[in-house]
Amino acid sequence: MENLLDKKQSIIESALELVHANGFHGCPVSQVAKNASVAAGTIYTYFENKEDLIVGIYDYAAEKITSYMSERDDASLDFETRFFNYWHNFTEFYEQHPAIHGFYDQFLNSPFNSEEVQNKPNRWHEWAHRFFQSGMDEGAIRETNPVVLSILVNTNINSTVKIKKNFKTKLAKKNVNLEEISHLIWAGIKNAEPKNLF
Amino acid sequence: MENLLDKKQSIIESALELVHANGFHGCPVSQVAKNASVAAGTIYTYFENKEDLIVGIYDYAAEKITSYMSERDDASLDFETRFFNYWHNFTEFYEQHPAIHGFYDQFLNSPFNSEEVQNKPNRWHEWAHRFFQSGMDEGAIRETNPVVLSILVNTNINSTVKIKKNFKTKLAKKNVNLEEISHLIWAGIKNAEPKNLF
DNA sequence: ATTGACTGAATGAACGTTCAATCATAATGA
DNA sequence: TCATTATGATTGAACGTTCATTCAGTCAAT
């Protein structure tokens, strides 16, 4: 372990792994410590308490998502392409980081996602809002609050990935293709002609 | 308490209340018992263990949703109207039964939602599939697997209600209107050129 | 007298957190 | 250079609490 930041990160990653393996309920501090090759008490050098650790994971996850998505976005492309890239990249990110996906999904409905946490500035939310705003600015999608749009799109990506994972057997049995959902959503938000949809 | 069924139900409702008030983590058997005016041990007359109780709540909730939705659906109306009624009714149901909403949302991502539970016949899922199938049969919405459609729609209703609740402050601040989402989804799934006018 | 639901104190496992003790490293002084 | 001290991270056993579950005994209804 080179320095303190590395150790903090390894504690966070250890906790993430445990959430992935055993769910939110299955990440006792004792296990987090063992996974991170650290004593239980050490965790309290880096985090005030378990809640602080959980919020630490949230910030870490949001940061990872922001990097991944912003690196892969190309603002010079037309917005429809960017939208499907966004969908594809976010799906890919979640599937490559199932621990972050599982954690994020559970965190948002948990008491840890307090008013205080919600009101903290969040680089990822801000990036996503700017993304959809730019789609409106170039007239590719309808005038809609970008907060609504990012909630709509992110919710659907999140749940599509979740459903793929949770209902794997059932979906295979019924030959369901969830790729369709991105097209349904795009059809819903794109600027159609004539635009008298409401 | 008139009979055994009443007592079983009152245990389930007590557990639901606790999930609503304190989240999934905050419904210890001792509290469930106290809320239901029953001794802790009594719960084990009706349920094998806590997991069995949780799955019992799930079945109870699905049953409530099925009744509510099927009673309010009118198959003689055109499908667009039925769709917006569906959206409205389900939203209303969740808002009137926040405990069921909160429980359902958490249950689906929990280890309790096992393969075994998923493969059990589920009246609510079957009803929803038939609902969307009938929309396709009359050409109002595109040919899409009804499983995909109900996942898409139910996910969005669920998360819209959730976001309304969780992000109340933030949404009010930014003057966000989430009603739009139902129209976005409808625009996405409806059949652009209705095929059978006769 | 028999049955079966019901009770609630008791049990033991699991958890978050603490803290006295230990250790590695850096700073100091001769 | 080397011995001593100071600093602060690290340890893990121990603590107090909470939880699901059990079961010997009670009670109500037949």
Side-chain angles (χ1 to χ4, degrees), chain A residues 28-29 41 44 49-50:
Chain A
V29 173
Y44 293 84
N49 48 39
K50 197 180 177 181

Side-chain angles (χ1 to χ4, degrees), chain B:
Chain B
M1 206 66 56
E2 282 96 35
N3 60 42
L4 304 184
L5 270 183
D6 278 358
K7 186 157 285 185
K8 183 169 184 177
Q9 182 171 328
S10 105
I11 291 168
I12 285 174
E13 279 168 1
S14 152
L16 257 173
E17 280 307 312
L18 283 169
V19 173
H20 176 224
N22 315 315
F24 223 158
H25 310 265
C27 66
V29 172
S30 59
Q31 281 292 321
V32 172
K34 190 179 278 184
N35 248 39
S37 304
V38 139
T42 306
I43 288 174
Y44 292 84
T45 309
Y46 298 95
F47 302 95
E48 261 187 34
N49 48 39
K50 199 180 177 181
E51 173 163 347
D52 193 36
L53 165 61
I54 302 291
V55 174
I57 302 174
Y58 175 66
D59 293 338
Y60 174 81
E63 206 52 46
K64 285 259 182 188
I65 294 169
T66 312
S67 313
Y68 194 95
M69 294 297 284
S70 60
E71 276 167 20
R72 282 162 184 76
D73 178 45
D74 181 351
S76 71
L77 300 172
D78 67 301
F79 191 76
E80 179 170 355
T81 305
R82 287 174 75 199
F83 173 83
F84 284 103
N85 283 347
Y86 180 105
W87 193 289
H88 173 261
N89 291 333
F90 207 173
T91 301
E92 190 175 78
F93 177 87
Y94 272 151
E95 288 178 345
Q96 281 173 10
H97 302 82
I100 289 182
H101 174 246
F103 171 83
Y104 213 79
D105 188 48
Q106 289 181 62
F107 179 86
L108 294 180
N109 311 334
S110 76
F112 295 118
N113 186 24
S114 59
E115 287 270 327
E116 196 194 334
V117 170
Q118 286 176 38
N119 289 327
K120 265 198 323 188
N122 183 314
R123 254 188 83 211
W124 163 237
H125 289 156
E126 284 154 16
W127 189 88
H129 296 168
R130 263 182 277 115
F131 177 82
F132 287 106
Q133 186 59 58
S134 73
M136 269 177 282
D137 291 346
E138 65 178 74
I141 55 178
R142 324 170 179 203
E143 284 298 326
T144 314
N145 189 308
V147 177
V148 172
L149 281 175
S150 62
I151 287 173
L152 172 73
V153 174
N154 292 348
T155 291
N156 278 283
I157 293 172
N158 175 64
S159 65
T160 302
V161 173
K162 182 167 69 193
I163 288 156
K164 269 199 219 172
K165 192 176 68 183
N166 287 348
F167 291 84
K168 213 169 185 176
T169 319
K170 208 169 188 174
L171 290 175
K173 230 182 277 172
K174 303 208 176 185
N175 197 29
V176 171
N177 179 15
L178 286 171
E179 303 294 318
E180 292 177 45
I181 290 180
S182 63
H183 294 279
L184 296 181
I185 299 288
W186 175 253
I189 69 174
K190 73 169 179 177
N191 219 337
E193 302 156 35
K195 50 185 177 188
N196 48 345
L197 293 170
F198 298 108

